[in-house]
Amino acid sequence: MKRKLAAAIGVAAMMASVAACGSDGGSDAAKDPKDRKGDLTVWLMVDAQSTWPELVKDVNAQFNKKYPGVKVDVQYQQWADKTKKLDTALGGDKFPDVVELGNTETMTYILNGALAEIDPKKYDNSDTWIQGLKDTCAYEGKQFCVPYYAGARVAIYNTEMLKKGGAKTLPTTEAEFLKVMDKVSAEYGKKDKRFSSLYLPGRYWYAAMSYVAAYGGKIAEYDEGAKEWKSSLSSPEAQKGIQHFIDLVKKYNKADQTKDEQDHANVMANEKAAVLYGNGWEAGSVIDGKNNGNPKLEGKILTAGMPGPNGKALPSFIGGSDLGVISKSKSADLAEEWIAMYTSEKSQEVLAGKNILPNNTKQLEPLKAKPETAPIANAVPDAWFTPIAPGWTSIEKEEVLENMLLDILKGTSVADATKKADEKVNALINKES
């Protein structure tokens, strides 16, 4: 596997070298910036277009002041079809120079040689990049993308419903939290048998693995002796976390327990749930009338750290986005410079001002005390991530976790289900070895 990956990355490096030495972009690199000519294509997700368009505009203006002869073409992409479009583009001759990737997507493009190696020293605050994001850009000691912004999952709750359970705010311990959930269930369950005080979908593997992390378990671990990754879902710690998650689903989810979390914000918008465990931005989705939300709930939906077992907050999955330079780009130096401007300390201040978590711990710190961002900002330092393993690049791994949870909900024992899942995860992680 390593020989194959090294070869892929080696070919990518050679392609980038050839482009730099033999293209117009490479020969221009030694000229005065004002003499540079050409185009720079940037793919950003629609989040930037809708939430911080002024940042994109300001960075482009800054870039064009230095390089007046270079046209920056920012093209906004949708999450649903971005990777399919990117794969198609990379197979041809019209591809972006800069691309935004979700942090669960980056490893695939690192391993197939699509992303050029970058020098962290060229970027502001790279010495304090959030580790969970930095790790998703790294492979074998090299860095292949730049952290853009971070995200984490938190409790999203309806304050009015919690009051019926005797709480003005979300309790900080799970024991107290579940007592409130029991009271809320009793109050609203009388009128609606499908009301869920705590709505946890059964196939919500991100949540399930958070409980695994809470008990000290992991999806997989690297075996130094065997020099390979091994699934550890059947470890005692992981089994405790999975069982705890399943117990919560069975007790508090009164709707379809076999669903995933894709529409859980709509469940809350329809006042069928008092508490969700989701991305911080989903609180806005609950009240967004343009996207099936409920504007009548504005002012009633807040976020807080999700209470976990053992008296601690529930560890969160570290989410977010990264920015990479396509290795085939003939303007890789300009692409790196654009990213450096777009992720500068000044640019990250713009994101922080919109309650988006910056890419570094230095600028994250003030957000830990800000009421609007404290829950999610405080969830980041102890967040977990999926295995940084070459084989963990396929959607099949996620399906294994979802199917494992469904099997348990249908009656399979946790021991049998996790043993089966271990075998499948190991086969998938190591199938190209």
Side-chain angles (χ1 to χ4, degrees):
M1 181 67 172
K2 281 192 175 182
R3 288 196 299 272
K4 189 182 297 183
L5 297 178
I9 293 173
V11 169
M14 180 181 71
M15 289 171 62
S17 176
V18 169
C21 294
S23 70
D24 289 340
S27 61
D28 280 348
K31 297 180 180 179
D32 186 293
K34 289 184 169 51
D35 293 332
R36 293 294 295 268
K37 305 292 182 184
D39 298 321
L40 187 72
T41 302
V42 177
W43 278 20
L44 293 178
M45 304 313 296
V46 291
D47 311 79
Q49 183 181 33
S50 62
T51 312
W52 49 91
E54 73 278 16
L55 174 59
V56 181
K57 182 179 178 180
D58 289 347
V59 168
N60 285 344
Q62 179 185 349
F63 187 86
N64 285 327
K65 184 176 181 180
K66 183 173 182 178
Y67 298 101
V70 178
K71 179 184 176 182
V72 180
D73 179 18
V74 177
Q75 300 176 8
Y76 294 102
Q77 308 297 321
Q78 301 287 339
W79 285 108
D81 64 353
K82 188 273 304 296
T83 55
K84 184 177 180 180
K85 287 179 64 178
L86 180 59
D87 292 344
T88 300
L90 290 174
D93 57 3
K94 291 186 178 180
F95 44 82
D97 300 288
V98 175
V99 64
E100 176 183 346
L101 295 166
N103 65 342
T104 59
E105 301 169 342
T106 54
M107 187 59 68
T108 296
Y109 293 97
I110 290 172
L111 296 179
N112 67 21
L115 300 183
E117 184 182 353
I118 61 98
D119 180 2
K121 294 178 181 178
K122 293 181 179 180
Y123 303 91
D124 285 359
N125 295 316
S126 60
D127 57 336
T128 62
W129 277 344
I130 291 171
Q131 195 64 43
L133 287 182
K134 181 180 178 181
D135 287 347
T136 67
C137 287
Y139 184 69
E140 294 189 335
K142 298 179 180 179
Q143 201 77 18
F144 291 90
C145 50
V146 178
Y148 176 11
Y149 64 85
R153 283 170 168 76
V154 293
I156 302 169
Y157 65 99
N158 184 312
T159 56
E160 193 173 74
M161 290 180 175
L162 246 65
K163 288 178 182 177
K164 296 290 185 179
K168 293 182 179 179
T169 59
L170 200 78
T172 56
T173 67
E174 188 181 60
E176 289 301 315
F177 169 62
L178 295 182
K179 287 180 182 178
V180 173
M181 290 298 92
D182 290 339
K183 292 178 182 178
V184 172
S185 294
E187 178 66 28
Y188 288 90
K190 292 182 294 186
K191 298 179 182 179
D192 186 351
K193 297 298 181 183
R194 295 183 63 82
F195 175 83
S196 305
S197 55
L198 170 60
Y199 184 73
L200 279 177
R203 284 167 50 207
Y204 192 2
W205 71 269
Y206 285 108
M209 295 305 107
S210 286
Y211 285 98
V212 166
Y215 281 95
K218 296 179 180 179
I219 296 173
E221 296 184 86
Y222 188 71
D223 186 326
E224 288 289 351
K227 300 300 181 184
E228 65 180 9
W229 285 82
K230 291 185 178 180
S231 181
S232 53
L233 292 166
S234 59
S235 70
E237 296 83 2
Q239 287 189 9
K240 286 180 181 178
I242 292 167
Q243 185 64 65
H244 191 91
F245 169 77
I246 293 294
D247 290 344
L248 293 175
V249 172
K250 286 184 174 180
K251 183 174 183 179
Y252 295 104
N253 183 349
K254 303 302 180 181
D256 184 352
Q257 296 180 349
T258 66
K259 296 180 70 174
D260 63 21
E261 76 282 8
Q262 294 301 313
D263 70 341
H264 65 180
N266 288 334
V267 173
M268 176 170 275
N270 290 323
E271 300 183 74
K272 297 289 186 179
V275 179
L276 302 177
Y277 179 58
N279 295 291
W281 55 263
E282 290 183 277
S285 299
V286 174
I287 62 174
D288 185 358
K290 296 179 180 179
N291 292 291
N292 300 316
N294 185 352
K296 294 180 180 179
L297 294 178
E298 187 168 357
K300 299 178 182 179
I301 307 300
L302 297 180
T303 62
M306 184 71 172
N310 305 319
K312 299 179 180 179
L314 186 67
S316 171
F317 172 81
I318 180 73
S321 276
D322 302 314
L323 295 164
V325 177
I326 296 300
S327 59
K328 295 197 296 183
S329 170
K330 293 182 179 181
S331 301
D333 61 320
L334 294 177
E336 276 207 81
E337 191 157 357
W338 188 91
I339 293 175
M341 293 178 181
Y342 192 64
T343 59
S344 69
E345 183 163 342
K346 182 179 178 181
S347 294
Q348 291 288 303
E349 285 177 5
V350 175
L351 296 184
K354 293 180 176 292
N355 295 334
I356 304 298
L357 301 188
N359 66 4
N360 64 89
T361 56
K362 174 185 172 183
Q363 290 177 281
L364 178 71
E365 199 61 31
L367 299 186
K368 292 181 180 180
K370 188 177 178 181
E372 299 91 334
T373 55
I376 189 170
N378 282 293
V380 166
D382 296 322
W384 60 274
F385 194 67
T386 51
I388 310 291
W392 194 276
T393 58
S394 168
I395 194 66
E396 292 174 285
K397 320 299 187 305
E398 299 180 6
E399 291 174 351
V400 169
L401 298 178
E402 289 187 348
N403 289 334
M404 174 191 70
L405 296 172
L406 283 177
D407 285 346
I408 298 170
L409 284 169
K410 292 176 181 178
T412 302
S413 70
V414 171
D416 287 344
T418 54
K419 181 180 179 181
K420 179 181 176 182
D422 271 347
E423 293 172 353
K424 289 187 175 182
V425 170
N426 282 331
L428 289 167
I429 286 181
N430 301 307
K431 68 178 180 181
E432 293 184 24
S433 299

